Amino acid sequence: MSVPAAFDYHPVQTVDEAIALLQQYGDEAKILAGGHSLLPAMKLRLSQPEHLIDIGKVDGLSYIRQEHDAIAVGALTTYVTLLHSDLLRQNFPILIEGTELIGDQQVRNRGTIGGSIAHSDPAADMPGIVLALKAHTTIQGPAGKRTILADDFFIDTFTTALEAEELVTEIRFPLLPAHSGSAYEKLENKASHYAVAGCAAIVTLDANGTCQAASIAITGAATTTARAKATEAALVGKKLTGSVIEEAASHAADGLTMIADLHGSEEYRRQMATVITRRAITRALSRASK
Ligand SMILES: Cc1cc2nc3c(=O)[nH]c(=O)nc-3n(C[C@H](O)[C@H](O)[C@H](O)COP(=O)(O)OP(=O)(O)OC[C@H]3O[C@@H](n4cnc5c(N)ncnc54)[C@H](O)[C@@H]3O)c2cc1C
């Protein structure tokens, strides 16, 4: 059985305490939230932090509440808590259906929204949903708080805009305009349920049923979660007929660096991204039209 390298364990009660320890130990320290990405990586010795800063008992980092025209979610909110939220269910069905597809019950009991986006695994589901919903991430560090749009947060595989001494404290989802529909689709790895190719799609229609705005994010298939800008451009200003959606979806992988591994070649993933994107847009449209 694989076991992690030795480390010192630091349970903290406040965000400030966590930041002070990050300042003290720098690259040798890692934040521990749900542990469902970090601990497997440590057991495989892919990650060997000398200091683990456990934020699991920090008060005030697990909440879901409406604030003006957005819904704010604390970084430590677990997937299972997201699934029980009527506020999220009413406003962001995409967030609920995407979360339902994450891992298994144990993973959903422990995994946190903040941990998922901080980890920035290209095969994870939450980053694509956060990106498509144009969420803002609140980050706290020694210099105080700053807020970053999801477009600027996900940089590359396992790389975000987070600095070493910062942590994610909140993800803020702006409410969608009227006549918007959203959907999440993925082709999953049958063992882990991670995305081999996934798509988070949001479309907004005007009074005539023409697509006014589209936000499409691809997960799993490429080296980082990314917006499919060419697909979005091919939807906006048009009536979303089957052929328009099909043509737009054929651009899902444009500009992305596709992954090739034992779950699929680059070509396979490109094709699957197209198929999954077509399905996600079609379902998002049916919800927008209701
Ligand atoms: C068997 C299995 C199947 C899975 N299947 C899926 C799946 O289908 N889809 C999917 O999306 N995910 C899947 N996951 C991953 C799961 O969603 C993780 O829980 C999630 O990616 C990380 O959240 P966490 O709270 O567990 O973070 P942790 O594992 O505690 O931390 C992950 C990383 O983020 C950092 N971090 C955590 N919280 C913060 C914070 N607030 N601020 C700054 N840095 C932070 C940590 O230092 C670490 O580097 C699976 C995991 C397992 C074990």
Side-chain angles (χ1 to χ4, degrees), residues 148-219:
I148 294 193
L149 186 61
D151 276 316
D152 301 320
F153 183 78
F154 300 105
I155 309 280
D156 206 343
T157 309
F158 303 126
T159 309
T160 68
L162 266 180
E163 299 289 345
E165 297 170 352
E166 293 179 322
L167 44 84
V168 175
T169 55
E170 184 179 273
I171 299 94
R172 209 177 167 79
F173 296 95
L175 295 178
L176 295 171
H179 311 297
S180 294
S182 64
Y184 183 71
E185 289 274 345
K186 77 168 162 178
L187 172 69
E188 64 178 22
N189 174 322
K190 294 291 178 240
S192 68
H193 306 287
Y194 276 108
V196 174
C199 176
I202 296 158
V203 294
T204 304
L205 307 180
D206 68 14
N208 300 318
T210 300
C211 179
Q212 198 175 32
S215 181
I216 313 290
I218 305 298
T219 56

Side-chain angles (χ1 to χ4, degrees), residues 28-94:
E28 293 167 2
K30 279 254 177 218
I31 296 287
L32 175 68
H36 270 57
S37 287
L38 183 55
L39 295 187
M42 287 173 64
K43 287 170 104 179
L44 293 170
R45 309 247 171 155
L46 297 170
S47 179
Q48 301 191 22
E50 290 175 24
H51 299 273
L52 268 195
I53 304 166
D54 185 352
I55 59 170
K57 295 269 185 321
V58 172
D59 268 345
L61 278 186
S62 175
Y63 55 86
I64 302 167
R65 57 183 176 237
Q66 181 153 4
E67 290 177 3
H68 309 291
D69 52 358
I71 292 177
V73 180
L76 261 188
T77 309
T78 60
Y79 299 131
V80 86
T81 307
L82 301 179
L83 291 174
H84 286 128
S85 163
D86 289 337
L87 198 54
L88 291 178
R89 200 167 281 276
Q90 281 155 16
N91 290 285
F92 303 114
I94 186 174

Side-chain angles (χ1 to χ4, degrees), residues 105-272:
Q105 187 64 51
Q106 175 65 15
V107 173
R108 294 191 294 273
N109 283 345
R110 297 289 307 168
T112 66
I113 186 168
S116 179
I117 68 159
H119 194 52
S120 188
D121 186 332
D125 300 291
M126 196 53 75
I129 295 165
V130 163
L131 196 55
L133 285 170
K134 300 184 180 168
H136 292 80
T137 301
T138 304
I139 291 171
Q140 199 168 327
K145 286 188 182 176
R146 63 190 179 109
T147 299
I148 294 193
L149 186 61
D151 276 316
D152 301 320
F153 183 78
F154 300 105
I155 309 280
D156 206 343
T157 309
F158 303 126
T159 309
T160 68
L162 266 180
E163 299 289 345
E165 297 170 352
E166 293 179 322
L167 44 84
V168 175
T169 55
E170 184 179 273
I171 299 94
R172 209 177 167 79
F173 296 95
L175 295 178
L176 295 171
H179 311 297
S180 294
S182 64
Y184 183 71
E185 289 274 345
K186 77 168 162 178
L187 172 69
E188 64 178 22
N189 174 322
K190 294 291 178 240
S192 68
H193 306 287
Y194 276 108
V196 174
C199 176
I202 296 158
V203 294
T204 304
L205 307 180
D206 68 14
N208 300 318
T210 300
C211 179
Q212 198 175 32
S215 181
I216 313 290
I218 305 298
T219 56
T223 50
T224 186
T225 298
R227 296 265 297 277
K229 294 278 172 81
T231 298
E232 294 173 357
L235 295 170
V236 174
K238 303 203 179 104
K239 295 265 188 204
L240 300 185
T241 60
S243 56
V244 166
I245 293 174
E246 186 149 1
E247 210 283 318
S250 72
H251 296 289
D254 286 10
L256 304 183
T257 306
M258 306 309 275
I259 298 172
D261 59 17
L262 78 167
H263 305 301
S265 64
E266 286 181 33
E267 193 45 45
Y268 177 73
R269 278 198 161 84
R270 195 169 289 117
Q271 179 60 22
M272 287 306 106

